[in-house]
Amino acid sequence: MPMPNTIFEEMYGALYAHYGPQNWWPGETGLEMMVGAVLTQNTNWKNVDKAIANLKRAGVLSFEALYSLSHDELAELIRPAGYYNVKAKRLKNLLRMIMEEYDGDLQQLLDDGPDSARSNLLAVNGIGEETADSILLYGAGHAIFVVDAYTHRVFSRHNLLEEECGYGEVQERFMDNLVADAALFNEYHALIVKVAKEYCKKNTSLCEQCPLFKFL
DNA sequence: CACCAGGCAAGTA
DNA sequence: TACTTGCATGGT
């Protein structure tokens, strides 16, 4: 079954050829991935890594331990990730939802249907569309495309999206133009982040070194 | 020094 | 509904 030959796929091919696989969230537990998804909200991954290392070192990177920690203890451990008070609350809210809706078993959330899991995630205060979809794609392996600020910036600069497109519209554009495949969506999102950090920052004008230059 | 980072919710008018 | 602001550490 050949893939439809869209510019979205061609751009993916160019990025993959240039950067290779990004291996986002490889071989981590579902819990570690989910915690990372919350901690990385508007935050550099390096800071998140420090926070996760703190949790591991303290031996609290398990559902039970995190659930039992006080707000202040949790906030202190995740401090390097920034917004530590809000993120401590958000993690607690997420754990509580899993306790109530999935019997405290994260695997049940990951095994749940994507629509049901997504609506339960979005009902949690502190979990928005990007965080929910990250968990669904990178944690549960559902073929759901994750949209972020970089995705919007790169593809609107390429005139493949209107500037005013919202999250759902951007996501729909990608999913309408790609074969639904979790492994593809996984790499594509990571590759967009990679290329944007290098060539599509807020004030960097376009340059020929960018692997996407030829698609302009 | 300014600016940014793998967002989200609450407040304001 | 459509902006704006708070949240906060750490790197460039």
Side-chain angles (χ1 to χ4, degrees):
Chain A
M1 184 60 195
M3 310 221 315
N5 198 15
T6 66
I7 191 165
F8 288 84
E9 283 163 355
E10 291 178 30
M11 290 169 76
Y12 171 77
L15 290 173
Y16 191 90
H18 188 85
Y19 293 113
Q22 299 300 298
N23 296 312
W24 270 24
W25 283 307
E28 293 178 4
T29 65
L31 182 69
E32 182 173 342
M33 182 274 137
M34 187 178 77
V35 168
V38 172
L39 294 183
T40 198
Q41 289 172 353
N42 200 43
T43 299
N44 190 303
W45 183 259
K46 292 211 158 179
N47 291 0
V48 176
D49 224 20
K50 292 177 187 174
I52 290 178
N54 284 348
L55 294 173
K56 283 182 177 170
R57 191 161 47 245
V60 295
L61 196 49
S62 69
F63 190 98
E64 309 298 337
L66 287 176
Y67 196 76
S68 306
L69 278 181
S70 73
H71 168 88
D72 287 348
E73 290 169 323
L74 179 54
E76 185 54 35
L77 287 167
I78 65 174
R79 186 183 169 99
Y83 308 132
Y84 50 86
N85 282 311
V86 276
K87 285 174 179 176
K89 274 187 199 149
R90 289 174 181 185
L91 286 171
K92 290 286 193 181
N93 293 343
L94 186 48
L95 295 171
R96 189 168 56 254
M97 180 279 283
I98 293 169
M99 194 61 85
E100 288 166 359
E101 302 295 327
Y102 297 101
D103 198 27
D105 183 1
L106 172 58
Q107 194 57 45
Q108 285 185 37
L109 164 64
L110 300 180
D111 291 340
D112 194 4
D115 294 345
S116 168
R118 193 172 198 270
S119 88
N120 282 323
L121 286 167
L122 290 178
V124 176
N125 186 305
I127 306 299
E129 295 190 281
E130 182 182 344
T131 306
D133 287 341
S134 293
I135 294 168
L136 295 172
L137 175 62
Y138 290 96
H142 294 304
I144 296 177
F145 201 90
V146 176
V147 173
D148 65 357
Y150 289 135
T151 312
H152 193 277
R153 193 187 305 158
V154 171
F155 286 80
S156 60
R157 283 188 189 178
H158 278 260
N159 299 310
L160 294 170
L161 298 172
E162 310 303 322
E163 183 63 35
E164 57 273 11
C165 279
Y167 186 98
E169 295 174 280
V170 177
Q171 182 176 53
E172 191 179 356
R173 192 71 61 89
F174 276 82
M175 295 183 68
D176 283 349
N177 286 283
L178 295 169
V179 169
D181 177 36
L184 168 68
F185 291 0
N186 179 328
E187 283 301 332
Y188 206 164
H189 174 68
L191 286 165
I192 290 167
V193 173
K194 179 81 174 175
V195 74
K197 279 179 169 172
E198 201 167 357
Y199 296 109
C200 201
K201 301 207 126 198
K202 292 203 170 158
N203 23 355
T204 54
S205 47
L206 41 98
C207 83
E208 308 175 12
Q209 277 75 266
C210 178
L212 297 181
F213 180 78
K214 59 183 170 183
F215 296 99
L216 281 167

